[in-house]
Every structure is written in C-alpha cells, then in structure tokens.
Amino acid sequence: MTSLPASPPTIAPRAFILAVLALLMIATRVNHFAAIPDASWAVFFIGGFYLRQWTRWAFPLLMVLALVIDVLVIRASGIGYWQHYCVSPGTALLIPAYFSLWAGGALLRQGYRSANWAALGKGVALLLVAVAVCQLFAQGGFYWTSDVVAEPTLGGWAKNYADWFLPYLRTAAIYVGLAAALQLATEQVGKLLQARRDVLR
C-alpha cells in the first residue's frame, strides 16, 4: 500500500480527489452487483487517506451522496425506499460502518513519508481491519433489524458475515490497490522530475 508524500495535498488537489471519489461512487453504486463492482467501501477508505484534514465535511458529504444515490436508484425501480429489500432500521449503522473505513485510511496517512514495505504492510492491515469493522456494522445492522431475516440467530449471523466478508474485502482491495498504484506512480514521477531539476541547477 502506498500513500501521500510527507506534505498533504493543497486545496486544489484535495478538491480534485473529492470530485473523483464522488464520481466513482456515482458510477458504481447504482448497482451493487453490476459488472463493475460498487466502489463505495474503497471510496471511504481512500477518502480518509487523502482527505483526512477535510473529515469534518468531506465525510458527511460523501455519506449524503451515498444515501441520495440509494434513494434515487430504489425509487427508479418503482418501489418506496423503505420497502426495498436492503433497507431496514439498521441502515443507520452505515454511518459508523463507512466511518470505520474512513478512519482506516486516515490512520494510514499518519506518519507516511513515501512508498515502502512498511507502508504496504500497514496499509494491508488497516484495510483488513477497516473492512472487518465496516462489515460488522453494515451486515449486522441488516441481519438483526431486517424483516427479511425471519428468525435471526448468532450462528446465522456469523455465517452471513463470513459469506459476504471476502467478496466485500476483495472489491475494496482492488480499488484501493489501483489507488495505491497511482500514488506510487505519482511519487516516482515526482522523484524523477526533482532529480532532473537538481541536475539542471
């Protein structure tokens, strides 16, 4: 896992990153099981990493965007929001679920200097923990409060958690891995340009 250089991005790069993350969520969240998988979990992890200093308003903004997308997609299917299979009182737990991903990305940003094996190990561990906690809130909220689950049991919840954990982890890891590759490429280009400037002095 790679990350930002020591200096955090300025306002313009942060705004660009926020716009890209919002567009990515709009493009993929419309159908959670489409050929292009939903990037929402990765969006919040990456957002926490790049936009840590904007947490107070960037996280709520992306959270509202996720809700608006869900409402529009469900209404477009011809049913009310609260009548949809995936919606339950536990839907409110998506807030701490997604914030756990955001927090994972923000923790990865702390102390980061450049891409190295230590950063990779830290990134993998934080992504794994963040997805596990997110799944705990998101899946647990649905399982224990939805009318779809007629007789919830601890064993049933554990099986459902395990069944969905790896698919969600895999999808998040793919998107985060792509972001990491872009970050690494950006760092390498920056180093090459700096070396060239040093030679020309």
Side-chain angles (χ1 to χ4, degrees):
M1 178 68 194
T2 59
S3 290
L4 289 174
S7 299
T10 56
I11 291 177
R14 281 195 210 123
F16 175 75
I17 290 168
L18 178 59
V20 169
L21 293 177
L23 289 173
L24 181 60
M25 187 154 62
I26 291 169
T28 62
R29 192 177 176 88
V30 293
N31 188 335
H32 294 269
F33 303 101
I36 301 176
D38 180 11
S40 298
W41 289 31
V43 162
F44 282 97
F45 187 88
I46 296 166
F49 179 74
Y50 284 102
L51 306 173
R52 183 170 64 101
Q53 293 181 314
W54 283 4
T55 296
R56 219 180 317 185
W57 65 271
F59 174 77
L61 182 65
L62 289 174
M63 196 72 236
V64 169
L65 177 61
L67 175 61
V68 169
I69 294 170
D70 289 348
V71 170
L72 292 177
V73 169
I74 290 172
R75 285 184 177 177
S77 69
I79 61 175
Y81 177 74
W82 289 104
Q83 281 70 55
H84 192 268
Y85 168 86
C86 290
V87 179
S88 71
T91 300
L93 291 179
L94 287 180
I95 297 174
Y98 290 165
F99 190 76
S100 67
L101 293 164
W102 188 278
L107 286 172
L108 179 58
R109 175 66 185 90
Q110 284 186 334
Y112 179 83
R113 290 295 176 267
S114 63
N116 54 48
W117 288 109
L120 174 64
K122 182 181 178 182
V124 170
L126 284 171
L127 180 62
L128 181 62
V129 171
V131 169
V133 175
C134 179
Q135 173 76 343
L136 187 67
F137 282 112
Q139 178 267 347
F142 174 80
Y143 184 86
W144 292 110
T145 67
S146 175
D147 293 336
V148 175
V149 184
E151 297 181 5
T153 64
L154 192 60
W157 164 78
K159 183 180 185 306
N160 186 264
Y161 182 99
D163 287 345
W164 288 100
F165 176 72
L166 286 180
Y168 276 109
L169 176 62
R170 180 172 59 246
T171 298
I174 289 172
Y175 284 113
V176 171
L178 290 172
L182 286 173
Q183 178 60 38
L184 175 60
T186 301
E187 288 186 17
Q188 295 304 312
V189 169
K191 290 176 182 178
L192 289 173
L193 291 175
Q194 184 60 51
R196 182 179 179 183
R197 285 193 294 267
D198 292 341
V199 169
L200 294 175
R201 282 178 184 173

